[in-house]
């Protein structure tokens, strides 16, 4: 067990507390979690992100991102388009509701 005065322990603890607090505030005010908010923020950029790229960038698993994306689609915050050049590839884009929440 780490001593509580170890700087790496303290930084990790502060990070964990901030993450939980941010998630709680987002849930209460916007009805989405921090992971979903991060995905919406990434998709604001004019880049066609794959779920794998989003997962790598956020340090999460692709399965976790897939679950969050499904929730955002169900809530009307994300839309999926099929890439006309490669039909097996899907493009994610925020809807007007998703854009409004991120602003």
């Amino acid at each position: 067990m780490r001593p509580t005065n170890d700087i790496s322990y303290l930084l990790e603890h502060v990070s964990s507390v901030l993450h939980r607090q941010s998630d709680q505030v987002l849930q209460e005010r916007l009805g989405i979690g921090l992971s979903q908010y991060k995905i919406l923020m990434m998709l604001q950029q004019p880049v066609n992100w794959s779920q794998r790229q989003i997962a790598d960038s956020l340090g999460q698993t692709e399965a976790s991102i897939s679950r969050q994306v499904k929730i955002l689609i169900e809530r009307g915050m994300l839309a999926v388009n099929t890439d006309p050049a490669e039909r097996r590839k899907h493009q994610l884009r925020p809807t007007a509701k998703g854009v409004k929440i991120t602003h």
Side-chain angles (χ1 to χ4, degrees):
M1 180 173 259
R2 294 183 179 185
T4 57
N5 61 353
D6 180 22
I7 189 71
S8 63
Y9 169 81
L10 293 172
L11 288 172
E12 190 174 319
H13 180 70
V14 168
S15 173
S16 175
V17 169
L18 288 173
H19 186 272
R20 282 194 308 265
Q21 187 70 25
S22 299
D23 192 61
Q24 183 178 358
V25 168
L26 285 168
Q27 285 287 353
E28 290 172 359
R29 295 190 180 177
L30 301 177
I32 63 172
L34 184 58
S35 293
Q36 295 162 353
Y37 182 77
K38 288 178 182 179
I39 292 169
L40 284 172
M41 288 301 294
M42 286 189 71
L43 293 173
Q44 296 295 317
Q45 300 173 13
V47 176
N48 289 326
W49 296 93
S50 70
Q51 287 188 16
R52 179 178 304 248
Q53 291 169 323
I54 293 170
D56 290 343
S57 179
L58 296 178
Q60 297 181 17
T61 64
E62 199 170 343
S64 172
I65 297 300
S66 179
R67 283 190 300 273
Q68 300 305 321
V69 164
K70 285 180 186 177
I71 291 169
L72 290 168
I73 291 170
E74 289 171 2
R75 294 183 180 176
M77 296 178 202
L78 276 184
V80 180
N81 295 339
T82 303
D83 186 344
E86 192 176 337
R87 298 189 57 80
R88 291 179 53 166
K89 192 173 182 181
H90 298 92
Q91 299 170 336
L92 298 171
R93 63 175 177 76
T95 63
K97 183 178 180 181
V99 170
K100 182 180 177 183
I101 283 183
T102 56
H103 290 298

